[in-house]
Amino acid sequence: MYNDIVIIGSTNMDLVINVKERPAAGETVLGDRLFTNPGGKGANQAYSCANVGGDIAMISAVGDDVFGEQLLHNLEKVGVHTACIKQIPNESSGVALITVDENGENSIIVAPAANREVTPALIEEYEANIKNAKAILIQLEIPFETVELSVKLAKKHDVLVFLDPAPARELPQKVLENVDYILPNETELAQITNMEVKDKNTAIEASKKLLAQGVKTVIAKLGKDGVVICSNDNEIYIPGEKVSAVDTTGAGDAFAGAFISQIVAGKTVEESVSYANIVGALTVTKVGAQAAMPTKEMVENFMKERA
């Protein structure tokens, strides 16, 4: 059995603590409470995609620990195909330590652990899943050689490539020229282009640099300020949705998973961004990453209420 969408990436258990203000270097602060929440950029995007109806398989790795079992179960309950997620013997699952301040902003430290085993060999093992997909979505929390091979195989089989360039790093031409959709936030866009990004106009200028390097379409996420869509044909601005933010953790991942689900379903780029905007906005109104992501029904209800 093959799926329309293959998401390749990290799977972590998030350990989240709420604080009034995030600590500065050398500072100790008291937090409010600690809770665990399944996360990892790849798993977040897979969860979001499945939660709004996407037909999706995930290629990843978890440890043979209690977190690993919980992470797999959480994905399976929303319909993610997990047969391509390896449980690595004698290894711990990836963990993300997250602090969230009273404004809903977060800081994150990731211990990759089993995610380091998302290797080129694992991708080669599941090449048939990529070959038979319509699109892949990949991020940068796994070894970069795995990213390079995944993109190469997708292009070999005429499969659309969606790249979420986080954590941001320098991206070689041979990767960028094979990317159909890149989805950076404003910070990542600035880092990967070495240009200042502070508003939609500067986001457009930075996006043009990526287009010149071969990317087909740039989806620049500006948080509450909306999204800029740039291609060689046009530039479109989609305003943000007005909501009260509680926790921004996972909002970008929720957007990415929803966006690819809509593109593969045949929606236009503008329609897909508008839909993903709502998914991301609804995610920030609750605490957590996957636990905060809306279902297809929730998104439809929001759209009806807004109309």
Side-chain angles (χ1 to χ4, degrees):
M1 172 185 172
Y2 298 113
N3 304 85
D4 288 343
I5 299 167
V6 173
I7 294 181
I8 303 162
S10 59
T11 305
N12 296 324
M13 184 61 78
D14 292 348
L15 305 179
V16 186
I17 188 165
N18 294 95
V19 294
K20 184 175 181 180
E21 294 182 354
R22 287 171 290 165
E27 181 183 16
T28 299
V29 300
L30 293 176
D32 180 18
R33 62 192 181 96
L34 171 73
F35 71 94
T36 60
N37 184 47
K41 292 193 69 64
N44 287 346
Q45 293 172 7
Y47 188 99
S48 176
C49 184
N51 218 23
V52 295
D55 175 33
I56 178 253
M58 185 175 183
I59 300 175
S60 187
V62 296
D64 62 348
D65 53 9
V66 64
F67 284 167
E69 295 293 340
Q70 292 171 352
L71 292 167
L72 289 172
H73 173 73
N74 200 62
L75 292 171
E76 289 164 354
K77 76 180 183 182
V78 293
V80 176
H81 184 69
T82 61
C84 305
I85 300 179
K86 282 288 185 77
Q87 276 196 285
I88 309 300
N90 304 313
E91 180 61 275
S92 61
S93 297
V95 170
L97 305 177
I98 303 172
T99 56
V100 181
D101 68 22
E102 61 184 0
N103 297 314
E105 297 297 327
N106 64 67
S107 296
I108 305 173
I109 300 173
V110 177
N115 291 302
R116 293 193 183 95
E117 300 302 320
V118 185
T119 61
L122 185 64
I123 300 306
E124 289 172 346
E125 183 176 347
Y126 295 119
E127 181 177 352
N129 294 80
I130 296 173
K131 177 181 179 180
N132 288 282
K134 294 179 180 177
I136 69 165
L137 170 59
I138 194 162
Q139 326 75 35
L140 305 179
E141 284 186 337
I142 56 176
F144 192 69
E145 58 267 28
T146 304
V147 175
E148 292 178 303
L149 178 61
S150 300
V151 171
K152 180 180 178 180
L153 291 179
K155 286 293 105 178
K156 170 185 172 184
H157 299 300
D158 295 319
V159 174
L160 288 172
V161 174
F162 293 64
L163 173 64
D164 182 352
R169 55 157 288 162
E170 183 178 350
L171 296 170
Q173 179 84 24
K174 66 180 180 180
V175 170
L176 290 173
E177 66 190 10
N178 287 317
V179 172
D180 295 287
Y181 298 93
I182 191 167
L183 295 87
N185 63 27
E186 54 202 311
T187 302
E188 294 152 3
L189 181 58
Q191 290 176 328
I192 62 179
T193 60
N194 291 313
M195 296 176 66
E196 182 181 37
V197 178
K198 59 182 180 180
D199 53 31
K200 65 180 180 181
N201 291 326
T202 51
I204 289 171
E205 290 307 308
S207 295
K208 287 179 179 178
K209 183 173 182 178
L210 293 177
L211 296 177
Q213 292 175 289
V215 174
K216 311 301 183 297
T217 304
V218 181
I219 310 295
K221 302 172 290 183
L222 308 179
K224 61 180 173 40
D225 294 324
V227 178
V228 171
I229 304 167
C230 289
S231 68
N232 288 319
D233 297 323
N234 56 23
E235 300 155 8
I236 302 168
Y237 172 67
I238 306 290
E241 299 288 341
K242 290 184 171 66
V243 295
S244 297
V246 174
D247 179 5
T248 59
T249 307
D253 297 332
F255 179 101
F259 178 72
I260 191 173
S261 78
Q262 298 304 293
I263 291 289
V264 169
K267 299 297 177 66
T268 67
V269 176
E270 287 181 69
E271 290 170 334
S272 300
V273 166
S274 295
Y275 187 92
N277 244 356
I278 294 171
V279 172
L282 290 176
T283 299
V284 307
T285 64
K286 297 180 181 178
V287 175
Q290 294 173 29
M293 293 177 183
T295 62
K296 182 177 182 180
E297 292 71 27
M298 291 176 185
V299 176
E300 291 172 351
N301 288 338
F302 181 91
M303 295 170 73
K304 288 176 183 176
E305 291 172 3
R306 185 184 60 177

